[in-house]
Amino acid sequence: MSKKPLSIIIPAYNEAQNIPLVIPSIIAFCKQYDYRLIIVNDGSSDNSISLLNEFDNEECITVVHHKINRGYGGAIKSGIAVCETEYLVTMDCDGQHLVENINELLNQLITNDADMVVGSRRGLKSASLARSFGKKVIRFIIKKLMPLPIYDINSGMKLYRADLGKKYCKICPDSMAYSDVICLAFINKHHRVIEWPINIQERKMGQSKVNIKTAFHTINEVYNIIILFNPIRIFMPIGLTAIIAGILWDIPIFIRGNGVSVGAMLSIMFGVIALFFGTIAEQLSQIRKRDL
């Protein structure tokens, strides 16, 4: 039997209402194009298990069950672990993503010799003003700290090479921040990442698991990945700013013959320490990146 070209990985947590509405059409799509469907039940407490077990007779499906909830990223990583195809694409189980976009993304990846194609929702209406604002804040922070060649970094629909997914998912969090971090990992390791517009629709049933806590956790994980790949971008501006501020603060005091003030000295010392830690972090970063 020939190797299938692509796997669709879908994390599912308490999506019993959506499974009967969403999964059958994806199964039909997989059969049409000889794709693989990997569904990860992430410790659901509803009847998702029994609903997914009804698809056991479908040859194109692999269902992975977690005993406890690991998180969105943890579910995707379990799906990647059992993926045996050349490419994979991640989708949500709420029906917002359309399978019709998958072949477009795959075609763009192959045509442009890319390693990841992000399904961009740019220009589409966001689910809420709060989520839209949160995405803008995260995007602003990332762009200030590292190169960002794409717009919709936190899109849940991404198609990429499975071998690279297996390689980089180990440094990604188990939370919702997985979508952002896997993309940043590809970018920072100098892989070709492009984006292509997709269509989305309203969630079929239930409520989204994304909230304010998710946004803060994502910012924290983005900070961690920047520290891993380019820590000097964090420590050098802080250190130099503190040193310059201390010098400027003390110039009039020194001119008056009062020597160096305690405040100026603390600022300068803080800057020196920040640069010192930045140098150490950069060396540790180089060591860790050798394992990727």
Side-chain angles (χ1 to χ4, degrees):
M1 185 175 179
S2 61
K3 182 178 181 180
K4 295 181 183 295
L6 180 139
S7 292
I8 302 173
I9 299 178
I10 299 179
Y13 175 60
N14 289 342
E15 296 286 2
Q17 291 179 299
N18 287 314
I19 288 172
L21 302 175
V22 175
I23 301 303
S25 61
I26 299 178
I27 292 174
F29 178 79
C30 289
K31 289 180 178 179
Q32 181 181 358
Y33 293 100
D34 198 28
Y35 293 160
R36 190 83 194 164
L37 175 59
I38 302 173
I39 305 175
V40 182
N41 167 42
D42 191 25
S44 298
S45 57
D46 57 11
N47 63 328
S48 293
I49 296 178
S50 59
L51 290 172
L52 291 174
N53 287 337
E54 293 179 5
F55 301 115
D56 282 344
N57 60 331
E58 300 288 351
E59 293 184 0
C60 65
I61 296 183
T62 298
V63 179
V64 178
H65 293 290
H66 289 172
K67 293 182 179 180
I68 60 173
N69 178 251
R70 300 184 189 179
Y72 175 82
I76 292 181
K77 287 193 278 187
S78 291
I80 292 177
V82 300
C83 177
E84 297 179 348
T85 56
E86 185 175 2
Y87 306 108
L88 66 88
V89 61
T90 56
M91 292 179 60
D92 294 340
C93 194
D94 55 14
Q96 292 191 65
H97 297 139
L98 305 176
V99 292
E100 291 80 4
N101 293 135
I102 292 177
N103 287 338
E104 296 176 13
L105 297 180
L106 181 59
N107 180 62
Q108 289 300 316
L109 184 138
I110 295 173
T111 302
N112 292 280
D113 191 25
D115 301 298
M116 172 184 283
V117 182
V118 177
S120 176
R121 301 160 296 177
R122 188 170 192 171
L124 300 179
K125 184 179 179 181
S126 182
S128 67
L129 291 175
R131 288 183 64 175
S132 177
F133 177 75
K135 292 175 184 177
K136 289 180 180 179
V137 170
I138 293 171
R139 193 179 303 116
F140 174 80
I141 293 173
I142 294 173
K143 289 187 71 173
K144 290 299 181 182
L145 296 176
M146 65 170 58
L148 187 63
I150 63 170
Y151 175 82
D152 196 2
I153 186 172
N154 52 19
S155 171
M157 192 174 200
K158 293 181 173 71
L159 191 151
Y160 44 98
R161 285 172 46 189
D163 59 335
L164 295 179
K166 290 177 180 291
K167 186 176 183 180
Y168 299 135
C169 72
K170 60 186 178 182
I171 64 170
C172 296
D174 288 343
S175 65
M176 293 293 292
Y178 174 91
S179 291
D180 302 73
V181 174
I182 189 67
C183 189
L184 294 177
F186 271 67
I187 292 171
N188 278 277
K189 292 299 289 184
H190 307 293
H191 296 293
R192 183 166 172 75
V193 178
I194 62 175
E195 60 184 338
W196 187 255
I198 60 172
N199 298 313
I200 59 172
Q201 55 189 7
E202 293 293 329
R203 181 183 178 90
K204 296 289 186 183
M205 301 290 288
Q207 295 182 341
S208 172
K209 280 78 174 178
V210 179
N211 50 40
I212 296 296
K213 183 179 179 181
T214 302
F216 283 109
H217 188 267
T218 298
I219 293 174
N220 179 63
E221 292 297 339
V222 167
Y223 172 79
N224 288 336
I225 201 69
I226 294 172
I227 289 294
L228 170 61
F229 284 110
N230 198 0
I232 206 68
R233 289 290 296 269
I234 299 289
F235 289 99
M236 181 173 285
I238 294 174
L240 292 179
T241 299
I243 292 172
I244 294 172
I247 293 173
L248 293 177
W249 182 359
D250 196 66
I251 286 177
I253 300 174
F254 186 81
I255 291 175
R256 291 198 300 267
N258 294 328
V260 181
S261 69
V262 175
M265 181 59 68
L266 287 175
S267 180
I268 293 172
M269 288 302 299
F270 174 79
V272 171
I273 292 173
L275 292 177
F276 174 74
F277 278 112
T279 302
I280 294 176
E282 185 68 25
Q283 296 302 314
L284 293 174
S285 171
Q286 295 300 321
I287 294 173
R288 289 196 63 189
K289 285 190 290 186
R290 291 174 190 170
D291 298 329
L292 295 178

